[in-house]
Amino acid sequence: MATEIKLNFINESNDQNNSQVVFFQKNIATDYDELAVAWKVIENCATGWQHPFTYPMTMKISAADSWGNEIIEPIVASNGQLFHVFSDPSGDQLTYQGPGASRNEVQLRNDLTNGSIDAKIYKNGKLLAVKTGVSPDQKAVFQFKPTLWVGVVSQIEEGQVMNSAIISDVNTELGLLGVASADIVMSGGGVGKNATKFQFTLENIVYA
């Protein structure tokens, strides 16, 4: 089984504003629209240029405590696993606890006596999702579809939690199930009466 998907962003648009392009995933484990994190932001990729990157299948879990401390090396996490944060004489610890309640989710429970935690998911060393303010005895739950959301944005940085207005403007979801490699082609844009909305399509798809 492939450990990563090779993607290549190609700008074939008529963009006149040197726009940023953001990629992110949505945590579908919650019953409400949780704010998403800008996982990857492509900048200064002009028309006629390309930007290759990889989407790893592996994700890692991390935690930050209410004192602002975060573990140095996030732990590899798979669906169906439960992790927990607890305290021992040396301080707060994050370890694998056992099977989770759902095989489709990664869960992180706060087993500290006092203090909330922030639960974080990383892919390719970049923040993918975060659940803030998880109280003692509560769990953060993460579940992702094999898709990437993509759209044109401005003034966004990787790792930034995007507000609902930005997320609502992004309406392209690219399915990656079974894909080994593909081009992501951006078209549209322009100025004046001939301008069209930006579009993103998967092309030259190679399946695993």
Side-chain angles (χ1 to χ4, degrees):
M1 182 178 177
T3 58
E4 63 182 20
I5 301 173
K6 297 183 183 300
L7 299 170
N8 187 35
F9 170 78
I10 300 175
N11 187 352
E12 294 183 355
S13 74
N14 297 311
D15 180 28
Q16 303 294 310
N17 297 315
N18 194 18
S19 301
Q20 294 176 311
V21 177
V22 65
F23 294 88
F24 63 91
Q25 288 191 284
K26 294 182 179 181
N27 181 11
I28 62 172
T30 58
D31 294 330
Y32 57 92
D33 289 334
E34 194 170 89
L35 296 182
V37 173
W39 173 64
K40 181 170 183 63
V41 177
I42 295 177
E43 301 182 82
N44 299 313
C45 188
T47 300
W49 288 62
Q50 62 185 3
H51 183 108
F53 65 100
T54 58
Y55 171 84
M57 307 307 293
T58 302
M59 58 182 163
K60 295 185 176 182
I61 194 164
S62 178
D65 62 22
S66 55
W67 289 270
N69 305 310
E70 184 172 353
I71 64 171
I72 295 175
E73 185 60 40
I75 301 172
V76 174
S78 300
N79 288 336
Q81 293 184 328
L82 169 66
F83 297 81
H84 72 143
V85 173
F86 63 98
S87 185
D88 68 11
S90 65
D92 294 343
Q93 306 292 331
L94 168 62
T95 63
Y96 171 69
Q97 173 71 11
S102 170
R103 64 182 182 180
N104 299 318
E105 300 171 348
V106 173
Q107 301 177 338
L108 176 58
R109 187 176 64 225
N110 182 356
D111 284 337
L112 297 175
T113 304
N114 296 295
S116 64
I117 63 170
D118 294 345
K120 302 181 179 184
I121 296 290
Y122 288 87
K123 269 187 183 287
N124 220 21
K126 299 177 180 181
L127 186 64
L128 178 74
V130 61
K131 179 69 174 178
T132 60
V134 181
S135 302
D137 293 329
Q138 299 298 308
K139 288 189 297 187
V141 181
F142 298 97
Q143 181 181 356
F144 305 99
K145 295 196 298 182
T147 63
L148 273 178
W149 290 85
V150 57
V152 172
V153 295
S154 61
Q155 298 180 326
I156 291 292
E157 296 181 358
E158 289 183 354
Q160 179 180 338
V161 176
M162 299 178 291
N163 62 46
S164 56
I166 294 174
I167 296 172
S168 65
D169 285 340
V170 177
N171 51 27
T172 300
E173 185 179 16
L174 302 174
L176 300 178
L177 184 63
V179 173
S181 65
D183 292 334
I184 301 172
V185 179
M186 181 173 83
S187 58
V191 294
K193 63 182 181 180
N194 294 322
T196 59
K197 67 178 183 179
F198 290 107
Q199 293 185 324
F200 298 87
T201 55
L202 281 180
E203 299 183 9
N204 301 317
I205 301 172
V206 175
Y207 290 97

